[in-house]
Amino acid sequence: MRVLILAPVGRDAALLAKTVAEMGVEPRITETAEICLAMLAEGAGTALLAEEALDPAQVSKFSAWLSEQPTWSDIPLLILTRNGRPTLGSVRSAHELETLGNVTLIERPVRPETVQSSVRAALRARSRQYEIRSSQEALLRANADLEQFAHSASHDLREPLRTIGVYSELLDRDFAESLGQKGSLYLSHIRSSATRTEALLRDLLAYAHASNISDELPPPLDAGGPLKGALESLAGAIQQSGARISVGEMPAVRIRTSHLEQLFQNLVGNAIKYRKEEPPHIRLAARREDTYWLFCVEDNGIGIPAEYQETVFGIFQRLHTNADYSGTGIGLAICQRIVERYHGRIWVESELGRGSTFFFTLPS
């Protein structure tokens, strides 16, 4: 948390160093802008810069260095303005200096208390940046550990679940007469529980993956491709339910193929699952809204009560028992996590007994 000082005129540098040292903070005098930049690269809490040391060429060098800093770093710069009445030149110079970002202009003549107060505020701000950076790094490590755990749990637990399912089927097939009707029923419950638990592990792994999506937006892709892939994956459910799918023109959006396909598959799959006695009719469309595309997935299903239209996106939130509709209660949470990681939002409008329309936005 040292303070760098660049003030090449007169005794300014020595006086500033003395004022800063009285705070119990380490001052470092730098003779040139190049030396100051080199020491900034090594680490500093703030820099006290005299305006006369920063001609347009030096301002450009500082600006170039600042633009290369990581997103968390926004070093505060304290700039002592020239003496004298404001002129057009001094106003223009102030505007140029403010392009450096986190800049505080201190007018001369300046009292030592003002310098100390400004330095103290700058160091507090810089300290908070490092604290936030440390918290972000800890969060990234925790997310990496969580994803590794999800992978391990998925692999290590799904295999014995498959074994339970296979051997319960063999028992029912080879010893049905010995087990009797009640024994076969028990085995059926075992198989059903193993299948549900395996689906839960699969969805938890998908949720962990969705939580770890990079913030960097990929190049645009045609949404029609992922939609086609999702409908192919749902072909069996579509045929069995007699669902009719209407698709409007799909735009190009900035999202990875696998994530958009998962979005469509979860939303269309839900529309098929939560249907009424009549065959489902599902309509997909998109329209432009500023820098985003708004997608809608509309169905004629059972609908969602108004009081649950926000909570349905929570993890493990289910409105029906497994006997009525199978599922893990994670599908919509995965959708929300994916959309939010791409800086969009997702919501539902529905009326009980009259279908639902899910909306989500994605960057164009």
Side-chain angles (χ1 to χ4, degrees), residues 202-229:
R202 183 182 62 247
D203 285 353
L204 279 172
L205 182 60
Y207 185 78
H209 280 311
S211 301
N212 204 31
I213 296 172
S214 169
D215 286 333
E216 185 178 350
L217 291 176
L221 66 87
D222 182 1
L227 176 56
K228 181 181 178 182

Side-chain angles (χ1 to χ4, degrees), residues 258-333:
S258 60
H259 297 145
L260 185 53
E261 184 171 327
Q262 189 165 31
L263 269 174
F264 283 133
Q265 185 168 330
N266 285 0
L267 294 176
V268 175
N270 277 355
I272 295 172
K273 180 193 298 184
Y274 299 105
R275 61 184 184 271
K276 295 186 289 191
E277 292 183 2
E278 62 187 277
H281 182 199
I282 304 162
R283 291 170 288 275
L284 296 99
R287 69 172 184 265
R288 186 70 177 263
E289 290 199 347
D290 296 327
T291 59
Y292 284 79
W293 281 95
L294 173 66
F295 290 82
C296 64
V297 181
E298 181 183 1
D299 65 56
N300 61 339
I302 61 175
I304 302 170
E307 62 268 27
Y308 296 114
Q309 289 176 18
E310 291 186 12
T311 60
V312 290
F313 294 100
I315 191 168
F316 300 128
Q317 293 296 319
R318 302 198 62 205
L319 306 185
H320 310 277
T321 65
N322 205 68
D324 295 327
Y325 298 96
S326 62
T328 60
I330 304 179
L332 288 178

Side-chain angles (χ1 to χ4, degrees), residues 188-255:
S188 175
H189 289 324
I190 292 172
R191 288 197 300 274
S192 177
S193 295
T195 300
R196 286 201 305 272
T197 306
E198 186 177 356
L200 178 61
L201 287 170
R202 183 182 62 247
D203 285 353
L204 279 172
L205 182 60
Y207 185 78
H209 280 311
S211 301
N212 204 31
I213 296 172
S214 169
D215 286 333
E216 185 178 350
L217 291 176
L221 66 87
D222 182 1
L227 176 56
K228 181 181 178 182
L231 296 180
E232 287 175 353
S233 299
L234 295 167
I238 292 172
Q239 183 177 5
Q240 183 182 12
S241 64
R244 183 160 56 97
I245 313 289
S246 303
V247 179
E249 185 175 351
M250 290 289 108
V253 285
R254 302 188 68 180
I255 184 174

